[in-house]
């Protein structure tokens, strides 16, 4: 990820709809055992405690932060970035791995799937994340190489935007290709 000030500047430009609610965490990068170059993104509450237990329980939800609180914890603390807990609601995140090449070119099929809505590069700079209004069941589609987050997990947020200032309804053509 780019330097912290650049990241903070980008995060302050997120679509307001993405920043709503107490759904925010911070995260730290941890190298994966036996996988050169891969990292795990370990979520933490802004209290400094790792996120644990069942997601969405009253204790979990109570420990989540507002966007501004998470941004402040990232700015002050030893964290790699911020992320959004996906607890249902009106937003769905699509996470595409390994779709940006060494020349910074985005796979055309993946770009088409995220057109028109807020989309950004992942922390590695090799993947894409897009947010849509609408509900879609959590899961992975290996044919399209996408992971869907709606009611569980958390999604790192970089602010390294590739397109879209707003979050739009998921088009049926996108939904049909993802499911």
């Amino acid at each position: 990820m780019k330097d912290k000030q650049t990241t903070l500047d980008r995060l302050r430009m997120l679509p307001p709809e993405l920043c709503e609610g107490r759904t925010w965490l911070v995260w730290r990068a941890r190298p994966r055992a036996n996988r050169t170059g891969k990292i795990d993104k370990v979520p933490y509450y802004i209290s400094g405690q790792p996120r644990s237990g069942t997601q969405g329980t009253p204790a979990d939800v109570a420990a989540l932060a507002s966007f501004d609180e998470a941004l402040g914890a990232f700015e002050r603390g030893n964290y790699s970035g911020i992320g959004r807990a996906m607890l249902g609601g009106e937003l769905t995140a699509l996470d595409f791995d390994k779709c940006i090449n060494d020349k910074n070119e985005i796979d055309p099929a993946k770009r088409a799937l995220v057109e028109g809505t807020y989309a950004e590069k992942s922390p590695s700079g090799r993947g894409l994340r897009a947010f849509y209004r609408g509900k879609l069941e959590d899961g992975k589609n290996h044919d399209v190489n996408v992971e869907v987050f709606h009611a569980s997990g958390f999604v790192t947020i970089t602010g390294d935007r590739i397109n879209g200032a707003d979050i739009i309804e998921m088009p049926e053509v996108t939904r049909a290709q993802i499911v």
Side-chain angles (χ1 to χ4, degrees), residues 60-129:
D60 177 58
V61 172
L64 296 172
S66 71
F67 172 77
D68 288 336
E69 291 167 336
L71 202 61
F74 168 61
E75 187 171 21
R76 292 184 306 276
N78 185 25
Y79 297 104
S80 303
I82 66 172
R84 191 175 197 281
M86 301 303 288
L87 300 171
E90 294 303 318
L91 295 182
T92 293
L94 303 181
D95 185 22
F96 300 94
D97 291 332
K98 300 176 190 163
C99 60
I100 302 174
N101 67 22
D102 291 339
K103 296 178 184 176
N104 205 31
E105 299 166 331
I106 299 169
D107 175 282
K110 302 304 188 270
R111 182 177 274 287
L113 289 171
V114 303
E115 261 327 296
T117 199
Y118 176 79
E120 63 177 33
K121 292 180 183 177
S122 66
S124 71
R126 300 284 187 207
L128 288 179
R129 191 155 303 104

Side-chain angles (χ1 to χ4, degrees), residues 22-93:
R22 297 189 63 79
T23 58
W24 291 89
L25 303 148
V26 288
W27 62 273
R28 288 189 179 123
R30 183 178 65 201
R32 285 188 184 174
N34 303 325
R35 293 187 79 185
T36 306
K38 295 290 278 179
I39 62 168
D40 284 322
K41 297 160 200 89
V42 182
Y44 287 81
Y45 300 114
I46 65 166
S47 67
Q49 296 298 311
R51 189 179 192 198
S52 62
T54 303
Q55 296 174 12
T57 63
D60 177 58
V61 172
L64 296 172
S66 71
F67 172 77
D68 288 336
E69 291 167 336
L71 202 61
F74 168 61
E75 187 171 21
R76 292 184 306 276
N78 185 25
Y79 297 104
S80 303
I82 66 172
R84 191 175 197 281
M86 301 303 288
L87 300 171
E90 294 303 318
L91 295 182
T92 293

Side-chain angles (χ1 to χ4, degrees), residues 110-158:
K110 302 304 188 270
R111 182 177 274 287
L113 289 171
V114 303
E115 261 327 296
T117 199
Y118 176 79
E120 63 177 33
K121 292 180 183 177
S122 66
S124 71
R126 300 284 187 207
L128 288 179
R129 191 155 303 104
F131 288 87
Y132 283 103
R133 245 182 270 119
K135 300 174 184 179
L136 198 58
E137 189 173 325
D138 294 329
K140 291 184 180 184
N141 180 332
H142 297 288
D143 294 336
V144 183
N145 193 26
V146 65
E147 190 166 3
V148 177
F149 294 90
H150 175 71
S152 67
F154 92 105
V155 180
T156 59
I157 307 290
T158 66

